[in-house]
Amino acid sequence: MFFCPYLNHFFYRFLHFLWKQPDQSNKPTTVNMSGLDGVEHKTLKVNGINMHVAELPGSGSGGDPTILFIHGFPELWYTWRHQMTALSSLGYRTIAPDLRGYGDTDAPEKLEEYTYFNIVGDLVALIDAVTGGDGQVFVVGHDWGAMIAWQLCMYRPEKVKALVNMSVLFSPRNPDRVPIPTLRRFFGDDYYICRFQKPGEVEEEFQKLGTEKVLKEFLTYKTPGPLYLPKGKLFKSSENDVSALPSWLTQEDLDYYVTKYENKGFTGPINYYRNLDRNWELTAPWTGAKIRVPVKFIVGDQDLTYNSPGAKEYINGGGFKKDVPLLDETVVLKGVGHFLHEESPEEINQHIHSFFQKFL
């Protein structure tokens, strides 16, 4: 979630491939879910894990441009259902995996197997699989998916034709600030990312609360301020358990998430947060690196990330453009929160299509 899977650039300033075709026994299946007629669900072997991938073809001509959608926390491929349906109808081949540790994709047991390198490695292998090994794809990312998309573009820009990223700004590595100690000093031990650090602890609390309540709290959070999860008092001040779901999230949608998280659990997704310091160590060679891929960035004005200290200054003061030289536009949607692609799908779909059309 806002779920800032990152230590934002403004926090720092403020503080001072092979893929093999699946076996014939592993045939694609078609499902009908919330109007998603024709979605193919495949299990592909990528980077040493089995990855679940949902796909909707475009025209079916074989030459359709491919869009790779990268989801965030606590989401799944399903978060892109509106984008897949709309953009496939416009002739794009749309592909949305469950990331490592999520949904129907493998969840390695070792905590250290959830670094940027592991996850980007999975996606590079997936891109090679869907392009024949030497092609490019369009990329759309949100939340953790946005952070992974920034890393993908930094390590392997030749794989990405253009990027639409949402919610999470690019976060240049600060060699003087280790992420978790910095967050603890600034926000305290109850800040959600800090609470996520001890393996097993928050998972046990989530289990006591129940998967549906936990997911509902995260998915409906719309407070433009830091999220705190005091031990033994998770979501105590929230009224989401008695309030209706927002119009953009149906009970059917929530049930799908609940089913998958009850089967897989939260440990894999939370391990992304537990690798923030390790990622900081591993990415030392990219200190000062810039994003050299064409980018459109979209954020809601009610999103926590947009209202974090220094975010607006970073966007409007030229810092963002300096770090992302090919930034085409930053779009701020009025009255929209963190899950903007679900809250305002038609507007997001139009932004994605109009931007990618420039590169066809």
Side-chain angles (χ1 to χ4, degrees):
M1 194 177 139
F2 40 173
F3 292 63
C4 317
Y6 58 98
L7 242 186
N8 267 347
H9 181 67
F10 42 83
F11 279 139
Y12 286 137
R13 289 185 172 181
F14 189 78
L15 286 173
H16 270 349
F17 126 26
L18 294 175
W19 167 71
K20 297 179 180 178
Q21 292 286 343
D23 296 337
Q24 290 302 312
S25 60
N26 203 4
K27 294 181 180 179
T29 58
T30 300
V31 299
N32 183 356
M33 183 187 303
S34 294
L36 288 172
D37 294 311
V39 174
E40 292 185 346
H41 292 265
K42 305 175 182 180
T43 300
L44 310 182
K45 190 74 173 181
V46 297
N47 196 30
I49 65 169
N50 295 304
M51 173 174 275
H52 167 245
V53 180
E55 177 177 346
L56 264 177
S59 68
S61 66
D64 296 326
T66 299
I67 303 177
L68 171 64
F69 293 95
I70 313 176
H71 69 78
F73 174 89
E75 300 173 278
L76 301 163
W77 75 270
Y78 186 75
T79 193
W80 300 113
R81 59 198 179 280
H82 305 301
Q83 284 68 48
M84 293 179 72
T85 301
L87 291 162
S88 66
S89 72
L90 294 173
Y92 296 92
R93 178 188 182 190
T94 60
I95 295 175
D98 284 336
L99 293 179
R100 171 181 294 242
Y102 285 83
D104 294 320
T105 292
D106 284 352
E109 292 185 8
K110 294 181 179 179
L111 187 157
E112 60 269 22
E113 292 186 10
Y114 292 83
T115 68
Y116 289 155
F117 290 175
N118 297 110
I119 303 156
V120 172
D122 298 342
L123 295 178
V124 169
L126 177 59
I127 292 170
D128 285 347
V130 301
T131 64
D134 58 356
Q136 291 182 310
V137 297
F138 292 113
V139 175
V140 178
H142 171 254
D143 186 81
W144 256 108
M147 189 60 203
I148 297 302
W150 292 127
Q151 302 299 313
L152 170 63
C153 292
M154 191 156 56
Y155 309 153
R156 300 298 301 273
E158 79 282 5
K159 297 290 185 182
V160 181
K161 188 174 295 186
L163 168 68
V164 172
N165 246 1
M166 291 180 275
S167 185
V168 179
L169 289 161
F170 178 56
S171 178
R173 183 183 184 275
N174 187 323
D176 300 320
R177 296 280 188 260
V178 182
I180 300 304
T182 302
L183 286 173
R184 287 193 191 279
R185 287 195 300 271
F186 190 77
F187 293 109
D189 291 338
D190 287 340
Y191 186 55
Y192 79 98
I193 294 179
C194 299
R195 284 298 324 282
F196 282 178
Q197 293 308 303
K198 186 176 181 180
E201 184 176 81
V202 78
E203 292 96 319
E204 184 177 345
E205 295 183 58
F206 284 176
Q207 186 175 19
K208 292 177 181 178
L209 285 174
T211 303
E212 181 170 349
K213 178 173 176 57
V214 171
L215 287 170
K216 184 178 179 182
E217 294 288 351
F218 279 137
L219 292 170
T220 60
Y221 188 90
K222 200 173 180 180
T223 301
L227 174 66
Y228 293 97
L229 298 176
K231 190 172 183 179
K233 300 180 181 179
L234 274 60
F235 308 117
K236 287 296 185 182
S237 62
S238 172
E239 297 181 355
N240 288 342
D241 56 336
V242 296
S243 64
L245 291 171
S247 60
W248 55 267
L249 183 69
T250 68
Q251 187 62 47
E252 182 185 12
D253 298 332
L254 183 59
D255 289 345
Y256 183 79
Y257 286 116
V258 170
T259 298
K260 296 302 180 181
Y261 275 85
E262 283 186 341
N263 289 338
K264 185 60 64 74
F266 286 91
T267 296
I270 293 174
N271 280 343
Y272 285 53
Y273 296 93
R274 292 171 178 149
N275 277 282
L276 284 172
D277 284 353
R278 184 174 286 108
N279 288 333
W280 178 83
E281 295 174 0
L282 293 172
T283 55
W286 285 272
T287 300
K290 300 183 185 301
I291 302 298
R292 301 193 182 277
V293 167
V295 173
K296 172 180 275 191
F297 181 74
I298 313 173
V299 67
D301 70 349
Q302 299 300 306
D303 195 327
L304 167 73
T305 60
Y306 183 65
N307 291 282
S308 297
K312 295 169 188 176
E313 291 79 4
Y314 180 51
I315 293 171
N316 299 323
F320 191 24
K321 177 68 173 179
K322 179 180 178 182
D323 294 330
V324 186
L326 300 181
L327 178 66
D328 182 80
E329 182 183 11
T330 295
V331 178
V332 181
L333 302 183
K334 302 299 182 182
V336 179
H338 184 68
F339 297 96
L340 62 171
H341 58 298
E342 297 193 73
E343 294 181 49
S344 300
E346 292 183 3
E347 191 169 1
I348 293 298
N349 297 341
Q350 183 177 358
H351 278 298
I352 293 171
H353 178 55
S354 63
F355 184 58
F356 287 166
Q357 281 291 299
K358 297 179 181 182
F359 307 97
L360 294 177

